[in-house]
Amino acid sequence: MKFQTVGLIGKQAHRDAHLSFKALIVYLKKRGCRILVEPSTAKDLNSQDIESAQMDEIGKQADLAIVVGGDGNMLGAARILAEFNVAVVGINRGNLGFLTDIHPDDIETQLDSIFDEEYQIEQRFLLTVEVYRGDRLQSKNSAVNEVVMHHGKVAHMMEFEVYLDNHFVFSQRSDGLIVATPTGSTAYSLSGGGPIITPTLDALTLVPMFPHTLSSRPIVVDANSRVKLKVSPENSDNLQVSCDSHIVLTVLPGDEIIISKNTAKLTLIHPKGYNYFNVLRTKLGWGSKLY
């Protein structure tokens, strides 16, 4: 795959991110690429010779999108760009960086391998979440990591039922439920006691949040399942569904939440030598080989 039009996306939270953007522009110009920069970033760069474009235009026109920042920046971009099937790669200017592979000190070398077509390509699925009141759709959005149903107040319980493909699974009193993709299994789900699911598995994990029973445990299910959460009418009215901790949808007692696999997929580009388990060892502090 040849990359001729490249989109640059990210938030310049500190000076170091600004340096990465400057280095990327110099590099991409050397490669003869057309560069499209997301408007807020273009404004911060304050350069006269760069072309500003909204995210959807980057999705329509770019062959490759480079996201500078942390996983949060990548998630925000991914929810939009997945709809356009644009290849995405990340420069890590965040903390953990599970989705942003390239170290900022190694931009040129890693991009050389990508532009020389020495890279790995991987697709990750997204989730669609819909909130229904009666038979009427109230709101809808997508998530890369997870969909979380939770109470609007901290440490406040709610009651709900869980169905898979219209089969009743369990009812629960808890602080909520995390429905995570393999991508999200190393995020909020992991901190809630959920398992790590390798990205090649077509699976979801359902992780109860502080359930009011000792028998409640995370469960891994087929990703093609239709997950339905029925919120008890007895709950108070301060309920929410969040997507990747970015998008918040309002939920009222008696609402139904439908979570299913999105038809769009996130196309990730990894530099040469990428290995998922190397990432886990590095980010989670696992032990190295004994010999």
Side-chain angles (χ1 to χ4, degrees):
M1 184 186 297
K2 294 289 185 182
F3 303 121
Q4 297 176 323
T5 300
V6 179
L8 296 184
I9 301 160
K11 291 185 179 178
Q12 302 199 44
H14 46 68
R15 175 176 169 272
D16 291 341
H18 185 83
L19 293 175
S20 291
F21 278 113
K22 291 288 190 183
L24 283 167
I25 289 170
V26 170
Y27 177 87
L28 293 171
K29 284 182 177 179
K30 281 185 192 174
R31 284 277 180 177
C33 296
R34 179 189 176 203
I35 306 170
L36 302 176
V37 185
E38 184 268 331
S40 62
T41 301
K43 183 179 178 181
D44 289 338
L45 288 171
N46 194 27
S47 177
Q48 302 297 319
D49 57 349
I50 58 175
E51 188 177 349
S52 176
Q54 297 290 342
M55 287 285 288
D56 59 341
E57 284 303 313
I58 290 176
K60 291 173 185 175
Q61 299 184 49
D63 309 307
L64 175 71
I66 301 177
V67 179
V68 178
D71 286 341
N73 299 110
M74 176 65 87
L75 293 171
R79 281 194 300 274
I80 298 172
L81 296 178
E83 298 292 333
F84 301 95
N85 197 29
V86 179
V88 184
V89 67
I91 310 292
N92 185 21
R93 282 296 187 182
N95 294 315
L96 280 175
F98 276 100
L99 294 174
T100 48
D101 293 337
I102 297 178
H103 192 278
D105 294 336
D106 204 20
I107 288 175
E108 189 164 330
T109 302
Q110 298 280 41
L111 287 182
D112 276 344
S113 72
I114 289 173
F115 275 87
D116 292 341
E117 300 187 60
E118 296 177 348
Y119 56 79
Q120 298 177 41
I121 192 164
E122 180 184 31
Q123 289 196 315
R124 306 278 184 96
F125 70 83
L126 287 74
L127 295 175
T128 294
V129 58
E130 300 169 312
V131 178
Y132 285 89
R133 198 156 298 143
D135 293 329
R136 188 170 182 178
L137 178 65
Q138 299 295 310
S139 55
K140 178 179 179 178
N141 221 294
S142 61
V144 179
N145 270 355
E146 72 278 306
V147 173
V148 183
M149 181 177 68
H150 57 96
H151 206 283
K153 296 177 182 178
V154 176
H156 215 84
M157 283 200 170
M158 61 187 298
E159 292 183 330
F160 57 92
E161 295 177 339
V162 178
Y163 294 78
L164 286 176
D165 298 326
N166 289 322
H167 296 292
F168 175 69
V169 182
F170 59 79
S171 62
Q172 191 170 92
R173 293 186 72 240
S174 67
D175 284 15
L177 184 76
I178 303 168
V179 180
T181 66
T183 303
S185 70
T186 52
Y188 194 28
S189 171
L190 181 65
S191 65
I196 294 174
I197 303 177
T198 56
T200 53
L201 289 179
D202 199 23
L204 297 174
T205 180
L206 278 58
V207 182
M209 298 168 61
F210 304 104
H212 204 62
T213 170
L214 296 177
S215 62
S216 185
R217 293 290 183 268
I219 179 172
V220 178
V221 302
D222 190 323
N224 298 293
S225 302
R226 182 176 181 265
V227 181
K228 179 167 68 176
L229 310 178
K230 295 179 70 171
V231 180
S232 169
E234 302 301 317
N235 288 293
S236 65
D237 60 358
N238 194 16
L239 308 174
Q240 297 175 341
V241 167
S242 65
C243 303
D244 297 335
S245 302
H246 287 190
I247 310 295
V248 176
L249 309 179
T250 300
V251 176
L252 296 182
D255 284 356
E256 291 189 357
I257 299 150
I258 306 297
I259 302 164
S260 57
K261 185 189 284 187
N262 197 313
T263 54
K265 289 190 176 182
L266 171 62
T267 301
L268 288 175
I269 294 289
H270 299 297
K272 183 174 63 174
Y274 168 86
N275 180 279
Y276 178 71
F277 294 104
N278 286 343
V279 175
L280 290 184
R281 279 195 300 275
T282 302
K283 305 302 181 183
L284 300 180
W286 289 359
S288 57
K289 292 176 72 173
L290 295 177
Y291 303 104

